[in-house]
Amino acid sequence: MDAAFSVEQGEIRRTLREVLLKEAGPGESRAAVLTPAGYDGRLWLRLADQLGLPGLAVERRYGGVGCGLIELALAAEEAGRALLPSPLTATAAVAVPLVAALGTPQQRARLLPRLASGRLTGTFVVPDGTLPEAFALTGPDSAHWSGGGRAGGVQARRTSDGWRLYGEAGQVLDGHSAGLLLVAAHTGGYARGRTMVFALHPETSRGVTRTRLTALDETRPQARVELRNTEAEPLGSPEADVRAAMAALGGRVAAVLAAEAVGAAERVLEQTVEYARVREQFDRPIGSFQAVKHRLADLYVSVQAARSAAYYAAWSARAAVGGLALAQALETARTVAGEAIQLHGGIGVTWEHDVQRYFKRAASDELLFGPVHRLRERSAGVSGLFEATGAREAVVL
């Protein structure tokens, strides 16, 4: 592995950071989350047109930039630093790889160019709290995470004129504004049940109700999606092994989420260091006290370690590595944001200060993409760590 970034990769980071510093500061971000879409549509299209942000990891033949997972992770890291409210995560990190992996050639040719251009945004509709399980990051490759029927989630049934979906899902990222819904649905009953993914456009589909929810982290909008006898087309072949394909994508999704969390952790640490330099107590800056120095130094080491893990996960794109990197990044973001609140004192929890926004992002991400202990347990299981340990113990006995 070459740990040095190329000139092009460095330029992506530098250019995006400059744009976000000018166009997506705290004031602009606070205003954007209050809009019906929950983000600045003008800025999103500018990032798409000038930087190709949503199409960074899309092949050139589909209108994308033709870069890879590392470039997308770098962009996500910068977005995390700014707490950028945008469809980047739901569209580029989740919807695009799903279409690319599961879609038929006709579906890829129809959907990927529009997703890469930013004119179409997408999201993945799964039951509450099962996004990491859907990508086999926190649990085994189960057939029942998608729910359906009394178990909640969405049920799919085949009729004479196509497939129909019925059910609902909450905590759907950008579910109220996305123009493409990729819906995970359960079909075939319990004994022979399986999961399929369906594509539908909510603006032109009947029986779709979308309600924006009040989220802990307002920069990451969520919605409840209700489907009532809604017509949809399967994404790819109905006979495809959807669970295996999604498990193979888990490492890619986790790497992007980890990089985003690292970016947020780094920025809130920078703000805390700046505050420690100017906040005085006993006629001296609090950053001059040895105890504060030690705490900040420990946080710096944690952020750098989490960044290294996220970069390695983006380079390898393996599920076990991605899960570990995501666990480390989520834990680091929570720890750094919590320490930032402590070191800022009372002002850190006020609405006017930005630190509380990073704390909410860290807490929300762990609820959406964790928990950390299950990410680590699953990664250990996939890597065969438990089996190897058991074999050694058997030899000793």
Side-chain angles (χ1 to χ4, degrees):
M1 174 183 177
D2 184 0
F5 291 116
S6 66
V7 176
E8 292 77 10
Q9 291 168 341
E11 191 66 17
I12 290 174
R13 182 204 296 275
R14 184 191 64 80
T15 304
L16 184 55
R17 182 174 297 190
E18 289 180 355
V19 172
L20 295 183
L21 284 174
K22 295 178 181 178
E23 304 288 341
E28 291 83 359
S29 176
R30 289 172 185 266
V33 297
L34 298 178
T35 63
Y39 63 92
D40 186 346
R42 178 191 60 82
L43 176 60
W44 171 249
L45 291 180
R46 179 184 172 188
L47 294 173
D49 293 338
Q50 297 183 3
L51 303 179
L53 191 61
L56 275 177
V58 177
E59 296 180 55
R60 291 183 181 273
R61 58 174 171 164
Y62 295 122
V65 179
C67 293
L69 183 59
I70 294 179
E71 288 78 10
L72 182 58
L74 291 175
E77 184 180 357
E78 293 304 316
R81 281 180 57 91
L83 290 187
L84 176 68
S86 77
L88 179 64
T89 299
T91 299
V94 180
V96 165
L98 279 175
V99 173
L102 297 175
T104 64
Q106 294 77 15
Q107 288 172 328
R108 292 196 295 268
R110 185 175 74 249
L111 297 175
L112 286 179
R114 297 179 62 198
L115 290 169
S117 71
R119 269 62 184 176
L120 176 66
T121 60
T123 190
F124 189 33
V125 181
V126 294
D128 302 21
T130 59
L131 183 62
E133 189 174 353
F135 288 102
L137 292 172
T138 58
D141 191 9
S142 169
H144 306 297
W145 59 264
S146 57
R150 294 184 177 181
V154 179
Q155 183 75 29
R157 62 184 178 89
R158 194 164 196 168
T159 65
S160 58
D161 59 346
W163 288 89
R164 302 284 178 170
L165 306 181
Y166 189 95
E168 66 178 60
Q171 296 180 302
V172 179
L173 300 180
D174 299 326
H176 66 295
S177 61
L180 172 67
L181 300 183
L182 303 178
V183 184
H186 189 81
T187 185
Y190 183 82
R192 302 178 61 183
R194 61 193 182 98
T195 296
M196 294 177 59
V197 176
F198 295 85
L200 64 92
H201 298 276
E203 293 86 356
T204 58
S205 300
R206 294 182 179 180
V208 181
T209 302
R210 303 190 289 175
T211 306
R212 184 174 178 179
L213 304 175
T214 300
L216 174 62
D217 175 18
E218 62 181 359
T219 66
R220 207 188 281 285
Q222 302 172 36
R224 181 174 65 253
V225 177
E226 302 175 60
L227 304 172
R228 298 293 181 266
N229 202 34
T230 303
E231 187 175 359
E233 66 168 332
L235 186 64
S237 170
E239 289 75 31
D241 190 347
V242 170
R243 290 181 292 141
M246 292 184 59
L249 291 175
R252 299 178 60 87
V253 175
V256 177
L257 296 175
E260 190 179 45
V262 167
E266 180 185 44
R267 181 57 191 144
V268 74
L269 177 58
E270 291 174 356
Q271 292 179 335
T272 306
V273 172
E274 293 168 3
Y275 181 78
R277 288 172 175 167
V278 299
R279 174 69 169 92
E280 291 189 358
Q281 195 163 14
F282 304 111
D283 297 325
R284 55 187 292 191
I286 62 173
S288 65
F289 293 104
Q290 189 176 35
V292 175
K293 290 180 180 180
H294 286 175
R295 292 171 72 177
L296 293 175
D298 289 341
L299 297 179
Y300 176 80
V301 172
S302 297
V303 170
Q304 296 305 316
R307 170 183 282 112
S308 297
Y311 288 169
Y312 182 70
W315 175 78
S316 68
R318 286 161 39 202
V321 177
L324 283 176
L326 180 57
Q328 187 168 358
L330 293 177
E331 186 175 58
T332 298
R334 168 171 44 84
T335 301
V336 173
E339 288 287 340
I341 293 289
Q342 290 287 328
L343 292 171
H344 276 80
I347 194 175
V349 296
T350 60
W351 178 251
E352 292 77 10
H353 206 284
D354 281 337
V355 170
Q356 53 87 18
R357 299 171 67 233
Y358 287 90
F359 181 80
K360 291 177 180 177
R361 165 62 70 90
S364 176
D365 276 5
E366 193 163 2
L367 292 173
L368 287 171
F369 310 130
V372 167
H373 71 276
R374 290 191 60 195
L375 288 168
R376 287 183 171 137
E377 180 183 14
R378 175 61 177 169
S379 296
V382 171
S383 302
L385 180 62
F386 297 145
E387 289 81 356
T389 302
R392 287 195 299 268
E393 290 177 352
V395 171
V396 172
L397 292 176

